[in-house]
Amino acid sequence: MSARRRLLMVLAALAAPLLIAPAVAHATPPSGISAVTLAETEIPADLLPFVPKGVHVVVREITIAPGGTTGWHYHDGMLVGIVRQGTLTHPGSDCTPVTYPTGAIIREPAGEANTHIGRNLGTTPVILDVLYLIPLKAPLFEDAPAPPCAGTAR
């Protein structure tokens, strides 16, 4: 057997596990979510010297159906919201469930360290009015893998 053929066989043997290994999920998909953008604007950095990148301001109405979930995610900027209807269950990266009933104010700090999930464990839709203050050119949210404790989170 030629050296080239042996090399190809070794490479094929090393690559085989990569081809048949199951895919690893890096994010948790949302389900039962709908959102309507009510208003948005951009404020450039020259108008906000204390925000060097400027800010994308968005107001959205988010509805989470019974049994729905946002999936695990975080935001590159701060969010402030109010629960207009229902009860939102909102564990953070430590998986401790925090509940927000109708009328409650939610504040979500920026950054991957503040990974969280929103769930509707009730029987009526959760409706949120949310103000996003996100750096310009950043997405409204970033998908994140579930933390190790999520297998026990309710």
Side-chain angles (χ1 to χ4, degrees), residues 63-96:
T63 301
I64 306 173
T69 175
T70 63
W72 288 92
H73 66 282
Y74 64 93
H75 307 277
D76 294 318
M78 187 181 85
L79 273 68
V80 178
I82 185 167
V83 179
R84 204 170 66 198
Q85 176 183 296
T87 299
L88 177 68
T89 300
H90 192 269
S93 59
D94 65 355
C95 298
T96 301

Side-chain angles (χ1 to χ4, degrees), residues 22-29 144-146:
V24 176
H26 294 289
T28 55

Side-chain angles (χ1 to χ4, degrees), residues 11-28:
L11 290 175
L14 291 173
L18 299 175
L19 298 174
I20 60 174
V24 176
H26 294 289
T28 55

Side-chain angles (χ1 to χ4, degrees), residues 2 16 30 36 39 84 122 141:
S2 72
V36 176
R84 204 170 66 198
F141 63 91

Side-chain angles (χ1 to χ4, degrees), residues 4-154:
R4 181 172 184 237
R5 184 167 166 84
R6 272 195 303 262
L7 178 60
L8 289 174
M9 289 178 67
V10 168
L11 290 175
L14 291 173
L18 299 175
L19 298 174
I20 60 174
V24 176
H26 294 289
T28 55
S31 67
I33 299 289
S34 63
V36 176
T37 298
L38 304 174
E40 70 181 301
T41 192
E42 292 185 351
I43 304 173
D46 60 342
L47 294 179
L48 294 174
F50 53 91
V51 182
K53 294 182 181 177
V55 67
H56 185 193
V57 180
V58 180
V59 178
R60 297 176 95 198
E61 177 187 271
I62 300 170
T63 301
I64 306 173
T69 175
T70 63
W72 288 92
H73 66 282
Y74 64 93
H75 307 277
D76 294 318
M78 187 181 85
L79 273 68
V80 178
I82 185 167
V83 179
R84 204 170 66 198
Q85 176 183 296
T87 299
L88 177 68
T89 300
H90 192 269
S93 59
D94 65 355
C95 298
T96 301
V98 177
T99 57
Y100 295 95
T102 299
I105 302 293
I106 302 167
R107 181 182 170 276
E108 294 180 352
E112 193 171 357
N114 297 298
T115 295
H116 58 277
I117 190 169
R119 292 188 174 118
N120 181 353
L121 302 178
T123 58
T124 60
V126 169
I127 300 175
L128 308 169
D129 291 321
V130 181
L131 170 68
Y132 294 74
L133 301 168
I134 305 292
L136 290 177
K137 309 241 187 275
L140 293 180
F141 63 91
E142 304 269 3
D143 288 330
C149 58
T152 59
R154 294 216 174 257

